[in-house]
């Protein structure tokens, strides 16, 4: 059932221009950044050779591209998640799903999965961009994998938070702006922390946790944070939809 | 042949629903057998849609029990919902899909397994007269066709109980006639609950009628019984649902 819903989500997403426009825009921006970093790398390459243990292309080009990719995903998430529940309500199609012999968990997970498939497509394009560097040198595949893993987790966090906010309203525009606000808030929350390593606000910042993956470090604390974040918002979404039947 | 026991498909006992302090539905009892068409009548805001939403699991009742073919809707929602087909007031259509894609999805959603899904979709397209538009996008179809897709979606999994909320609203006379014929056909093998404002519709399609007013069932009887007595449904409807004050002012005119 989860797959049935996920497949429907993707079919509707890709039958509108929205998905294609977003994919094209993200790719355009990331390629631009990629080329800019490649250019810088080629300029400073002679100096890098002189250093004892010089940073490779993966650190100087791919890591910054992935860090920008996370920000791009943060920007496109609200547009995509607003559709998930709020638009179904607005179009009165939610009744079809609720009247069907499936549970709310199926609905929530199906929609989440559908969005994750779309995000995976974006991530695959970024990986393809990175792999193109193999034409001119070698890559640090460990660092690349850690980045891919990290961006996958952080996009799952974006999706689950957006899905929950979409459950709260019947207006796609409100869901979108609410999600954008919440995600930006979680991005910049650590600004007040300054240099303090163990501050609470820093521990809550989404991009801060992603930073470790970006540097090639997979920390259990970050893993725990991401998986808790995803689980909490998925469970809240299911509960919210279930509660709606009671409140009416 | 000996007298067959006709199975009861819907059994509702003491159904209540409050919205905060407002009581929308109080103490509704309802029973429906296979092959029966029940007409649900009532003025706007009487609670018809609320009752239908509860019967289809879209809204949890404050009190009371709902059994579909002997399965408790609240205890085993999945098994019970699999036996219900529901067309809400606004047909739940994905305008971005084609008719066939949409019905395919609706069938999957109602747990029709892969080998039989194509034939189920074909059958329902045939039945609802959607042959010519099966490959078109739902958004490009007229209101009448969209209503038919809504009915198709409700019957694709061959449910025991079909619940239709105002299925003929906004249609032209020809379309109304077609949909009525379809509902009568459906009524011969399924149980149908139909809500409407159009009294002749009830007289022509339904076996039984229940009039709901201010959340209560104020009248319950068979359409044939009314005909025998020589009372028109309109008289009954007016008698039970007119606010006394308004009816006085009408008669003084």
């Amino acid at each position: 059932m989860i797959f049935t819903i996920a497949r429907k989500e993707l079919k509707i997403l890709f039958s509108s221009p929205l998905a294609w426009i977003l994919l094209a825009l993200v790719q355009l921006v990331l390629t631009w950044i990629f080329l800019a970093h490649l250019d810088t790398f080629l300029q400073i390459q002679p100096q890098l050779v002189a250093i004892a243990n010089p940073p490779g292309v993966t650190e100087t080009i791919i890591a910054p591209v992935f860090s920008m990719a996370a920000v791009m995903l943060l920007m496109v998430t609200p547009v995509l998640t607003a559709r998930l529940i709020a638009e179904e309500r607005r179009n009165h199609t939610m009744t079809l799903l609720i009247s069907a012999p499936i549970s709310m968990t199926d609905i929530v997970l199906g929609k989440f999965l559908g969005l994750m498939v779309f995000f995976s497509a974006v991530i695959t394009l970024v990986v393809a961009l990175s792999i193109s560097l193999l034409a001119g040198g070698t890559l640090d595949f460990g660092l690349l994998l850690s980045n891919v893993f990290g961006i996958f987790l952080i996009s799952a966090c974006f999706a689950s938070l957006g899905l929950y906010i979409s459950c709260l309203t019947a207006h796609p525009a409100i869901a979108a702006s609410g999600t954008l606000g919440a995600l930006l808030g979680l991005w910049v929350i650590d600004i007040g922390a300054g240099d303090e390593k163990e501050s609470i606000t820093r521990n809550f910042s989404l991009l801060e946790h992603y930073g470790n993956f970006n540097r090639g470090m997979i920390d259990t604390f970050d893993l725990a944070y991401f998986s808790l974040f995803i689980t909490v918002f998925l469970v809240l979404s299911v509960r919210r939809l279930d509660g709606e039947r009671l409140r009416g | 042949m000996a007298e067959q026991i006709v199975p009861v498909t819907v059994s509702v006992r003491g159904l209540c629903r409050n919205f905060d302090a407002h009581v929308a539905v109080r103490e509704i009892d309802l029973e429906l057998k296979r092959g029966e068409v029940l007409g649900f009548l009532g003025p706007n805001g009487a609670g018809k849609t609320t009752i239908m939403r509860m019967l289809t699991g879209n809204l949890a009742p404050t009190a009371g029990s709902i059994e579909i073919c002997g399965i408790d809707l609240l205890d085993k929602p999945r098994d019970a919902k699999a036996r219900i087909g529901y067309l809400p007031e606004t047909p739940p259509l994905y305008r971005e899909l084609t008719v066939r894609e949409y019905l395919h999805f609706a069938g999957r959603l109602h747990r029709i397994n892969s080998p039989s899904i194509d034939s189920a979709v074909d059958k329902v397209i045939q039945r609802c007269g959607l042959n010519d538009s099966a490959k078109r996008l739902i958004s490009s179809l007229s209101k009448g066709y969209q209503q038919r897709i809504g009915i198709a979606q409700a019957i694709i999994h061959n449910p025991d109980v079909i619940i239709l909320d105002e299925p003929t609203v906004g249609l032209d006379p020809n379309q109304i006639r077609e949909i009525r014929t379809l509902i009568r056909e459906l009524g011969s093998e399924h149980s149908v609950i139909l809500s409407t404002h159009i009294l002749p519709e009830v007289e022509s399609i339904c076996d039984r009628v229940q009039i709901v007013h201010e959340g209560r069932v104020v009248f319950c009887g068979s359409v044939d019984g009314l005909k025998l007595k020589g009372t028109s449904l309109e008289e009954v409807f007016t008698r039970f649902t007119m606010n006394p004050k308004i009816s006085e002012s009408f008669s003084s005119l």
Side-chain angles (χ1 to χ4, degrees):
Chain A
M1 269 314 132
I2 295 174
F3 291 107
T4 308
I5 294 185
R7 204 183 312 160
K8 179 225 98 186
E9 286 299 319
L10 288 168
K11 197 177 255 175
I12 290 184
L13 185 61
F14 281 106
S15 66
S16 76
L18 180 72
W20 302 105
I21 291 176
L22 288 180
L23 278 175
L25 276 180
V26 169
Q27 194 62 6
L28 192 70
V29 172
L30 291 179
T31 312
W32 187 250
I33 290 167
F34 175 79
L35 289 176
H37 279 283
L38 183 62
D39 214 28
T40 323
F41 179 76
L42 291 177
Q43 273 175 15
I44 59 168
Q45 207 178 14
Q47 293 150 10
L48 285 178
V49 181
I51 310 175
N53 194 5
V57 278
T58 322
E59 277 156 290
T60 45
I61 302 175
I62 295 179
V65 167
F66 267 90
S67 128
M68 193 57 201
V71 176
M72 288 299 289
L73 283 179
L74 187 150
M75 299 294 177
V76 300
T77 301
V79 186
L80 294 164
T81 55
R83 299 173 45 261
L84 292 179
I85 308 279
E87 197 166 285
E88 294 247 12
R89 283 211 190 102
R90 200 184 182 81
N91 295 340
H92 303 278
T93 44
M94 203 60 200
T95 329
L96 178 69
L97 301 182
I98 296 177
S99 314
I102 53 174
S103 65
M104 293 294 180
T105 317
D106 291 339
I107 299 178
V108 166
L109 288 182
K111 287 182 168 278
F112 178 70
L113 185 70
L115 192 52
M116 285 317 293
V117 172
F118 177 80
F119 281 155
S120 306
V122 179
I123 296 171
T124 312
L125 286 175
V126 184
V127 172
L129 205 58
S130 316
I131 298 231
S132 69
L133 282 177
L134 275 179
T138 52
L139 284 182
D140 176 354
F141 280 101
L143 183 58
L144 178 62
L145 275 181
S146 147
N147 267 299
V148 171
F149 191 44
I151 202 163
F152 189 75
L153 283 175
I154 202 171
S155 60
C157 290
F158 294 160
S160 64
L161 178 63
L163 180 60
Y164 174 62
I165 294 178
S166 193
C167 290
L168 299 178
T169 166
H171 297 275
I174 293 178
S177 41
T179 308
L180 185 62
L183 288 176
L184 286 175
L186 281 169
W187 178 21
V188 298
I189 194 171
D190 61 327
I191 270 180
D195 289 335
E196 220 180 309
K197 266 275 172 253
E198 288 304 311
S199 95
I200 294 178
T201 50
R202 175 157 290 191
N203 288 343
F204 272 102
S205 165
L206 271 173
L207 282 236
E208 183 67 28
H209 286 279
Y210 175 61
N212 284 338
F213 287 96
N214 205 216
R215 285 188 291 273
M217 183 168 76
I218 298 178
D219 187 349
T220 41
F221 178 47
D222 301 326
L223 284 177
Y225 173 82
F226 281 145
S227 30
L228 268 177
F229 193 101
I230 298 164
T231 320
V232 162
F233 283 106
L234 289 180
V235 169
L236 280 177
S237 307
V238 174
R239 288 191 60 98
R240 170 78 199 183
L241 289 179
D242 258 330
E244 217 144 82
R245 287 187 323 123
L246 301 173
R247 276 191 312 277
Chain B
M1 217 164 71
E3 205 175 298
Q4 270 187 328
I5 303 163
V6 188
V8 174
T9 47
V10 183
S11 161
V12 174
R13 295 272 162 272
L15 197 64
C16 298
R17 173 71 208 197
N18 308 344
F19 290 107
D20 297 324
H22 171 66
V23 185
V25 171
R26 54 192 104 193
E27 293 289 320
I28 296 273
D29 291 330
L30 200 154
E31 194 161 277
L32 199 61
K33 294 192 178 75
R34 184 179 300 281
E36 252 186 333
V37 182
L38 172 72
F40 233 34
L41 281 175
N44 279 323
K48 298 184 302 269
T49 298
T50 310
I51 296 171
M52 292 190 152
R53 288 182 62 203
M54 285 194 277
L55 290 179
T56 53
N58 277 271
L59 192 66
T62 311
S65 73
I66 302 168
E67 274 183 19
I68 308 291
C69 303
I71 303 163
D72 194 301
L73 180 69
L74 303 171
D75 280 350
K76 293 181 186 159
R78 278 199 210 187
D79 296 343
K81 279 179 185 174
R83 292 161 190 271
I84 306 175
Y86 177 39
L87 170 68
E89 252 175 309
T90 324
L93 306 177
Y94 293 103
R95 304 167 57 82
E96 302 91 339
L97 298 181
T98 66
V99 176
R100 182 172 283 280
E101 279 171 344
Y102 172 76
L103 290 175
H104 206 274
F105 171 64
R108 290 302 274 269
L109 215 49
H110 283 99
R111 298 183 179 278
I112 301 179
N113 47 18
S114 308
S116 47
I117 188 133
D118 282 322
S119 66
V121 171
D122 284 336
K123 208 171 120 193
V124 86
I125 283 179
Q126 192 81 37
R127 187 151 202 195
C128 298
L130 292 163
N131 285 319
D132 306 332
S133 40
K135 283 185 184 147
R136 289 178 61 185
L137 284 180
I138 293 180
S139 56
S140 70
L141 295 172
S142 69
K143 174 98 173 89
Y145 272 96
Q146 295 192 355
Q147 199 74 28
R148 285 194 213 178
I149 304 167
I151 295 181
Q153 158 276 126
I155 61 175
I156 188 164
H157 53 298
N158 200 18
D160 294 298
V161 183
I162 301 168
I163 299 180
L164 307 169
D165 200 347
E166 306 196 1
T168 54
V169 162
L171 303 185
D172 71 38
N174 291 332
Q175 292 169 332
I176 291 183
R177 202 171 46 239
E178 281 167 20
I179 290 211
R180 280 186 193 168
T181 316
L182 179 62
I183 294 172
R184 221 172 301 143
E185 269 173 41
L186 293 172
S188 58
E189 42 196 297
H190 310 260
S191 304
V192 181
I193 301 181
L194 172 83
S195 99
T196 177
H197 285 301
I198 309 160
L199 301 178
E201 189 161 287
V202 175
E203 281 170 328
S204 68
I205 313 177
C206 300
D207 304 309
R208 268 198 306 139
V209 56
Q210 286 205 347
I211 299 177
V212 189
H213 182 49
E214 291 175 348
R216 280 199 191 84
V217 174
V218 289
F219 175 81
C220 182
S222 81
V223 173
D224 289 339
L226 282 179
K227 278 182 194 154
L228 278 179
K229 273 189 222 158
T231 23
S232 79
L233 194 54
E234 194 169 347
E235 274 172 54
V236 181
F237 186 80
T238 320
R239 193 180 338 137
F240 285 105
T241 58
M242 268 288 220
N243 192 319
K245 275 183 194 155
I246 300 176
S247 52
E248 268 166 36
S249 60
F250 262 113
S251 53
S252 67
L253 282 175

